[in-house]
Amino acid sequence: MQYTATYQSPIGRITMASDGQNLSGLWFDGQKYFADTLSTEHEFKDLPVFEQTKRWLDLYFQGNVPDFTPSLYLKSSPFRLAVWDILKQIPYGKIITYGEIADLIAKKQGVKTMSAQAVGGAVGHNPISIIIPCHRVIGSNGSLTGYAGGLDKKISLLTIEKVDVRKFFIPKKGTAL
């Protein structure tokens, strides 16, 4: 059985999902791939992991760096899990490009190159937004592209982390606008 709860953030309502013990989803309501990993049968319920996640989100939205991470459960392909593992390592207030992640994955897999577009697909399907910080990924040309929650939310999250978003640009055409 899966369970859900909601959190009202300063930039929009968030839906959380759990297997009963671990956080398995965290989406801005209405975002691209919303509730992608959530089964059709789920129950709204207060759980300790949701209370922990709400505490984490409260700290984050107050501009603090949470010193803990709720227990996470991720299920996907080995490639996506590898990309999400890299996302988890991006420090608060720092950014990385899709190309840099592709290079890291290529090295780990012992191959010469990896597609930045394939990385983008994995980043876009990250089921635990904010905590697994896919908003910290930008295009190699400085483009603020590709956030499933929408570029307005990506900019807000980076601003909370004191990233100077003025040095980046919003593409005229791109993904997850």
Side-chain angles (χ1 to χ4, degrees):
M1 176 61 105
Q2 287 184 307
Y3 304 95
T4 60
T6 59
Y7 175 85
Q8 186 58 51
S9 85
I11 59 173
R13 195 170 92 148
I14 293 172
T15 295
M16 302 174 283
S18 173
D19 62 3
Q21 297 291 323
N22 310 290
L23 187 68
S24 58
L26 186 98
W27 307 274
F28 283 104
D29 287 6
Q31 80 171 51
K32 192 173 185 181
Y33 312 118
F34 176 79
D36 211 11
T37 58
L38 188 60
S39 64
T40 52
E41 290 189 30
H42 55 274
E43 178 183 317
F44 192 84
K45 186 175 183 179
D46 284 328
L47 295 171
V49 72
F50 291 149
E51 292 309 312
Q52 204 178 39
T53 302
K54 288 175 184 178
R55 219 168 354 109
W56 191 101
L57 291 167
D58 284 344
L59 287 168
Y60 179 85
F61 283 110
Q62 291 165 5
N64 300 309
V65 181
D67 61 353
F68 67 95
T69 302
S71 178
L72 306 178
Y73 174 74
L74 295 165
K75 183 179 178 184
S76 193
S77 70
F79 177 75
R80 284 185 179 176
L81 292 171
V83 170
W84 299 340
D85 188 51
I86 291 169
L87 295 179
K88 289 189 274 185
Q89 297 172 46
I90 307 168
Y92 181 98
K94 302 294 180 191
I95 53 104
I96 190 171
T97 68
Y98 294 96
E100 289 170 324
I101 295 172
D103 290 344
L104 291 169
I105 295 289
K107 284 180 190 162
K108 282 185 180 184
Q109 292 184 351
V111 297
K112 209 172 192 176
T113 62
M114 175 59 58
S115 164
Q117 287 79 15
V119 166
V123 170
H125 282 86
N126 167 24
I128 303 178
S129 294
I130 308 169
I131 294 174
I132 299 178
C134 51
H135 62 278
R136 296 180 188 152
V137 184
I138 66 166
S140 59
N141 62 355
S143 167
L144 290 173
T145 188
Y147 189 62
L151 292 182
D152 58 331
K153 289 185 175 53
K154 182 173 191 157
I155 291 167
S156 294
L157 295 171
L158 291 172
T159 301
I160 287 168
E161 296 182 22
K162 305 216 181 337
V163 173
D164 183 2
V165 294
R166 295 173 301 176
K167 62 184 176 181
F168 307 117
F169 71 95
I170 297 173
K172 290 183 187 340
K173 181 181 170 198
T175 60
L177 295 172

